[in-house]
Amino acid sequence: MSVSPDTPAAPPASQQKAARKAAFAAALATSLEWYDFYIYGTAAALVFSKTFFATDNEVVAALNAFATVAIGFVARPVGGIISGHFGDRIGRKPVLVFATLLMGIATALIGFVPNTEIVWLAPVLLVTLRICQGLAVGAQWGGAVLLATEYAPANRRGFFGSFAQLGIPIGVVLGNGIFLVVAWLVSPEAFMSWGWRVPFWISLVMIFVAFGIHKYLEETPEFQKVEEKLATTPAQQKSPIFQVLRRNLSTVLLAGGTYLVGIAMFYITITGSIQVATTNLGMARADVLWIIMVGAAVLIPMVPFTAHLSDVYGRRLIYGIGIAGMGLWAIPMWMLIQSSGSGKIWPFAVALIVSCFVMSFQTGPQAALFAELFPAEIRYSGASLGYQAAAILGGMAPMAMVALVNGHVSNIWRVGLMITALAVVALVCLLVLSLRARRTDRAAETHPVPARATR
């Protein structure tokens, strides 16, 4: 049987093995990294609003606790900028190793923040360590995504890149699961006193993960080519972030715009809903955590599946289905949550599980989509900045939810309306990116690059 010259050759076994190893490392690193980042939000919803930020007004206490959650998101773009510079200059791997170490140490130290009569001390320590968490996760995402996608065969970047995204739901399942186990083993009083600290102490395992990545993984093949190019063309050794901002700023903003609805929907679903369910709806803490775990578990098989669909049918199509799905589901979701309560948990479960299902269509293709928007020499900076720029809104989303609800169950539908509006913005940004890509493709077909220029 003859093979068309346009059919891509199957990658050699060594490349497939390296891609699988890189994908596993990316999934492991991101799972623990997101576990560390998410348990802070869970602790803020369950503990911090009642201890470090307790006031006579539950709404004010929740806003203060979620404000420290948001600070981590504000720090994420800074981490993305710093790591992007070094990731595009010294390599993907060393930056990922440093981010993993920083996250593990900062998270463990949160578990040692003291209950003290010095009113300002605990909040200051929490804010400082939360900033470190934000810097770490801002640095980590780009490194893990590029580790997975730059090792992958060209026709399977979506699938392999999704393993970096798998850390998101796995981190949620791990975090909620450990909180449930600790809450089951100790009394409610002990949980509020010291039990909540145990999930933070566990994060010290990140040190060993960082060592493993440093010892057993090589730098990505695409970055090795970038290194060779920079060594022979010193004029190209300009700041990657300045190159991105000067030549690709609109791409960064559009990429971040497409993700606004996804990150807001995710953090309101995973973190904000805990506060609404336990404070406003009177649901049991364990019931809420179990439901969130089930919803996150739905994401685990769906993320690589939707990423595979993006390899077959196109990134932007599958990504757009996710955006549209979130926009259409947002108001019904929050109307279901509004009808939930201590004796009626199934509407809450349906709301969250369907939410996670529709989110997967954006989460799966995202790593490859963002990576492919930028050339290799500025890819770490560009992809990280686009992703983390949207993170600021994600961090504010639980605060916006608390303000919109304002302690009244009848106001919950407003949260769905906010998410629907963000979905419209995201679809417009994706449409602009798609039109630009089509113009670029048509220009390439009309004016092909001469063969000698590619040698």
Side-chain angles (χ1 to χ4, degrees), residues 49 53-64 275 279 402 406-407:
S49 61
F53 300 98
T55 69
D56 295 333
N57 189 315
E58 288 184 344
V59 174
V60 173
L63 285 172
N64 289 339
Q275 195 274 336
T279 302
V402 172
N406 196 26

Side-chain angles (χ1 to χ4, degrees), residues 31-392:
S31 296
L32 295 173
E33 194 97 8
W34 289 116
Y35 160 84
D36 287 0
F37 198 69
Y38 293 148
I39 60 173
Y40 187 98
T42 304
L46 294 176
V47 180
F48 296 166
S49 61
K50 300 176 179 63
T51 54
F52 301 128
F53 300 98
T55 69
D56 295 333
N57 189 315
E58 288 184 344
V59 174
V60 173
L63 285 172
N64 289 339
F66 281 135
T68 64
V69 175
I71 286 170
F73 288 86
V74 174
R76 280 172 58 169
V78 179
I81 291 171
I82 296 171
S83 65
H85 173 83
F86 290 104
D88 285 327
R89 283 295 170 263
I90 66 173
R92 316 328 190 184
K93 189 180 82 168
V95 176
L96 179 59
V97 169
F98 176 78
T100 304
L101 283 173
L102 178 61
M103 178 63 90
I105 294 170
T107 305
L109 289 176
I110 291 173
F112 291 99
V113 171
N115 292 318
T116 173
E117 294 181 358
I118 304 176
V119 177
W120 57 266
L121 180 58
V124 168
L125 292 174
L126 286 174
V127 167
T128 302
L129 294 171
R130 182 62 176 170
I131 289 172
C132 291
Q133 280 192 318
L135 293 173
V137 80
Q140 172 270 345
W141 185 83
V145 161
L146 298 189
L147 191 70
T149 57
E150 291 187 346
Y151 263 111
N155 63 340
R156 301 200 70 195
R157 283 182 186 147
F159 176 75
F160 280 101
S162 72
F163 281 81
Q165 297 288 82
L166 271 180
I168 297 172
I170 292 174
V172 173
V173 171
L174 287 174
N176 283 9
I178 290 175
F179 265 106
L180 278 168
V181 170
V182 174
W184 177 66
L185 290 174
V186 304
S187 68
E189 295 76 17
F191 179 83
M192 295 298 292
S193 174
W194 60 267
W196 66 267
R197 301 175 184 275
V198 174
F200 290 88
W201 295 337
I202 290 174
S203 66
L204 285 172
V205 74
M206 295 284 284
I207 296 173
F208 301 100
V209 174
F211 175 77
I213 294 173
H214 173 72
K215 182 175 177 63
Y216 296 108
L217 275 181
E218 299 294 330
E219 189 54 79
T220 69
E222 289 198 38
F223 182 76
Q224 292 179 24
K225 295 177 183 177
V226 170
E227 280 188 307
E228 295 174 1
K229 179 180 178 181
L230 292 176
T232 57
T233 54
Q236 296 292 324
Q237 297 181 11
K238 300 176 182 177
S239 170
I241 190 63
F242 288 140
Q243 293 186 59
V244 168
L245 293 177
R246 187 173 69 251
R247 300 176 183 175
N248 301 89
L249 178 59
S250 61
T251 303
V252 168
L253 295 176
L254 288 169
T258 67
Y259 189 41
L260 288 176
V261 63
I263 197 163
M265 182 96 162
F266 183 82
Y267 282 102
I268 288 177
T269 299
I270 298 301
T271 300
S273 65
I274 298 175
Q275 195 274 336
V276 168
T278 56
T279 302
N280 301 115
L281 300 175
M283 294 177 63
R285 177 178 60 202
D287 291 340
V288 176
L289 292 179
W290 270 112
I291 290 169
I292 291 174
M293 281 181 62
V294 172
V298 168
L299 278 165
I300 294 174
M302 284 299 299
V303 165
F305 174 68
T306 57
H308 168 70
L309 292 180
S310 79
D311 284 330
V312 178
Y313 299 105
R315 311 266 185 256
R316 293 185 293 274
L317 174 61
I318 305 303
Y319 194 82
I321 289 173
I323 294 173
M326 286 183 280
L328 293 172
W329 178 242
I331 292 178
M333 169 188 172
W334 284 91
M335 294 298 288
L336 279 170
I337 291 176
Q338 183 173 327
S339 67
S340 305
S342 57
K344 192 179 179 183
I345 66 172
W346 71 263
F348 186 84
V350 171
L352 264 68
I353 291 169
V354 175
S355 171
C356 291
F357 175 82
V358 296
M359 279 191 288
S360 70
F361 284 83
Q362 184 181 62
T363 305
Q366 186 176 35
L369 175 65
F370 277 36
E372 290 169 350
L373 289 173
F374 303 94
E377 59 269 20
I378 58 170
R379 184 172 292 151
Y380 205 130
S381 298
S384 292
L385 193 55
Y387 183 87
Q388 303 303 346
I392 296 177

